[in-house]
Amino acid sequence: MSRNHLKIYLVCLFAFITSFVEASNDGKGYIAYPGGKCYMFRVTLRDKGQSPYSLDKPSAFLSEAALKRRQRQHLTLDSTDLPVSPTYIQKIRKEGGNVVAISKWNNSVLVRGGNRQTLEDLKVLSFVRDSKLVFTSPDSIRPLSQRVHCRSDLQVLDSTIHDYYGMGKAQLENLNGRKLHNMGFQGQGMTIAVLDAGFMNVDKMAAFKNVNIVGTHNFVAGYDADVYKEMDHGTKTLSVIAVNQPSTFVGSAPKASFWLLRSEDYLTESSAEEDYWIAAAEFADSVGVDVISSSLGYHGFDDKSLNYHYSDLNGVTAPISRAASLLASKGIILVNSAGNDGMGPWKKINVPADAHDILTVGAIAPDGINAAFSSIGPTADNRVKPDVMAYGCPTNVVSGRGYITPDTGTSFACPLVAGMVACLWQAAPNTCAKDLIEVIRQTSNNHLTPNNIMGYGVPDFMEAYHQVVLPNGK
């Protein structure tokens, strides 16, 4: 191993150990699961029923921004866009099911309650096609993480970097993003939804004072609406895109607008989190989001009987992947982390990283070599995955404590790419989502020989700009 490779390895290892120790020190002892003992069933419905909604009047269920996004891309609405029947939801509630998540695209609802038999009995309702137990609360959990003290300013870790982008310089330039920024494309007018587990202290830190946050929403049942008070994984992923502190740290789309959506219950691992994620993605669609950055993925659960197998990685088996595969047809580009299982027995990408028509992002080190932990493909139906690669071993991020720190994982490679996708799309607003995804793949540095470790390679967003805005390089 060369000295340079050893240095990179040690930095990655240190960042990994630090994040592990921080996660392990959230609290001691155990508490009851929020809301008490409960069960959750995914109830899939037969049809949309006698709905008060109509495709002729989409403004009743989609915002003006969502409709304009589709119009720009010449996309038509279909039956999946119609909301789940309010009559069916009312009947489920009448029978004792507390509906905590809804998917119009999969025509399903997630119901929660303390009496398992009551929820199981919902399957006999005439409009129910299928019912599946997806969550049983544990008897106890670790205490919820609480807000930690955060710095009032950003600490510069490397005083040798004298540059507008500060600690964001190398990871942005690796994607050839600086040139696109210099042309004025920094995400203005674009809206990005960040799906994650929590955004601790984003509302408190000066580091985020220049970030345009248009709204937040918590989709995880049993918790309150405050996405800022626990877990800083989302703080870190958001920082990679959004922080706008010249000479200290500038992200990949610092002038975009952001929705912060919590869909991950970080204290358990269950298939119900797929339903939360789907609800968040559909919400993002409804409010007019352009790009979704999702550093989340699943394949193994606390209930081992629900685990996915490699044969399921086809983009349509997992409910979360079915929904993700629809996003481009709704005019949204999903950028999703590949997963960090490359060194474990699973090795493969997670769901929804297996979805069709998305950008799945793996991690590389600064020397361009793939990170050993970065999950690999192909999908079960033999599509190349990951799609592209970016810095993830490490990536500079801002933690919930207010420090710029190197952290490792495809979780942080993902938002780097998501921000640049927004900037590129700003430059070519009438390009449809599927076409832009393909341009990004084909202008990455491994596009001639894509494989299931590096995918199509590291994107060159300036070259993508030339291809999509200046056809034939003119």
Side-chain angles (χ1 to χ4, degrees), residues 295-315:
S295 293
L296 299 170
Y298 308 93
H299 74 268
F301 302 110
D302 297 336
D303 181 349
K304 307 302 182 188
S305 69
L306 298 175
N307 286 0
Y308 286 112
H309 302 93
Y310 176 62
S311 60
D312 298 320
L313 299 181
N314 54 23

Side-chain angles (χ1 to χ4, degrees), residues 88 173 190 207 229 399 439 442:
Y88 292 168
E173 290 183 345
M190 304 298 292
K229 71 179 185 181
S399 74
V439 167
Q442 295 303 324

Side-chain angles (χ1 to χ4, degrees), residues 59-375:
S59 60
F61 49 90
L62 290 173
S63 68
E64 182 180 356
L67 294 172
K68 286 184 176 180
R69 185 192 65 231
R70 296 179 189 223
Q71 290 166 4
R72 284 196 305 271
Q73 300 178 54
H74 307 289
L75 301 172
T76 58
L77 276 69
D78 59 39
S79 60
T80 62
D81 293 301
L82 291 172
V84 171
S85 168
T87 301
Y88 292 168
I89 293 175
Q90 184 180 9
K91 289 181 178 178
I92 289 171
R93 287 172 173 157
K94 185 177 180 180
E95 294 299 321
N98 178 24
V99 177
V100 295
I102 300 173
S103 170
K104 58 186 179 182
W105 297 346
N106 287 339
N107 199 26
S108 65
V109 295
L110 182 69
V111 296
R112 170 177 166 144
N115 188 313
R116 176 171 175 169
Q117 190 60 52
T118 296
L119 300 182
E120 286 187 343
D121 289 345
L122 295 174
K123 64 186 177 184
V124 304
L125 295 173
S126 62
F127 54 85
V128 171
R129 180 168 63 85
D130 183 55
S131 180
K132 181 178 181 179
L133 177 66
V134 293
F135 178 80
T136 301
S137 64
D139 294 329
S140 60
I141 57 171
R142 290 186 296 109
L144 304 179
S145 63
Q146 300 297 318
R147 280 188 190 265
V148 295
H149 175 73
C150 58
R151 293 179 60 91
S152 59
D153 61 342
L154 275 175
Q155 181 186 33
V156 180
L157 299 183
D158 189 344
S159 60
T160 66
I161 298 178
H162 302 289
D163 187 85
Y164 177 83
Y165 288 89
M167 298 298 291
K169 177 180 184 291
Q171 57 204 41
L172 182 81
E173 290 183 345
N174 180 250
L175 301 172
N176 210 359
R178 187 177 193 129
K179 292 180 181 179
L180 203 55
H181 279 197
N182 288 343
M183 295 177 69
F185 303 115
Q186 298 184 36
Q188 300 95 319
M190 304 298 292
T191 304
I192 301 172
V194 182
L195 274 60
D196 218 293
F199 303 87
M200 181 184 284
N201 288 334
V202 165
D203 58 334
K204 302 286 187 183
M205 286 190 283
F208 293 92
K209 68 180 181 181
N210 296 329
V211 178
N212 182 21
I213 298 171
V214 294
T216 69
H217 201 290
N218 175 39
F219 291 88
V220 183
Y223 297 80
D224 64 33
D226 188 353
V227 304
Y228 295 124
K229 71 179 185 181
E230 56 191 58
M231 186 59 172
D232 74 342
H233 190 267
T235 308
K236 295 175 180 178
T237 59
L238 174 66
S239 72
V240 172
I241 316 175
V243 167
N244 189 12
Q245 298 293 327
S247 301
T248 304
F249 193 116
V250 175
S252 57
K255 295 185 179 179
S257 300
F258 296 89
W259 276 95
L260 309 185
L261 308 180
R262 183 187 177 201
S263 67
E264 166 80 0
D265 182 357
Y266 62 90
L267 294 178
T268 63
E269 194 76 351
S270 78
S271 186
E273 291 171 279
E274 295 186 69
D275 299 83
Y276 300 148
W277 190 99
I278 295 165
E282 293 186 15
F283 174 85
D285 168 43
S286 72
V287 297
V289 161
D290 301 294
V291 177
I292 293 176
S293 178
S294 164
S295 293
L296 299 170
Y298 308 93
H299 74 268
F301 302 110
D302 297 336
D303 181 349
K304 307 302 182 188
S305 69
L306 298 175
N307 286 0
Y308 286 112
H309 302 93
Y310 176 62
S311 60
D312 298 320
L313 299 181
N314 54 23
V316 295
T317 294
I320 193 173
S321 299
R322 286 201 301 274
S325 294
L326 287 176
L327 280 163
S329 67
K330 311 299 183 184
I332 298 172
I333 293 180
L334 167 64
V335 184
N336 207 98
S337 56
N340 300 327
D341 293 293
M343 297 175 69
W346 175 257
K347 297 191 184 301
K348 300 294 186 179
I349 57 171
N350 293 315
V351 299
D354 67 321
H356 298 262
D357 303 319
I358 71 169
L359 288 172
T360 298
V361 185
I364 59 168
D367 61 1
I369 303 299
N370 69 294
F373 59 76
S374 188
S375 292

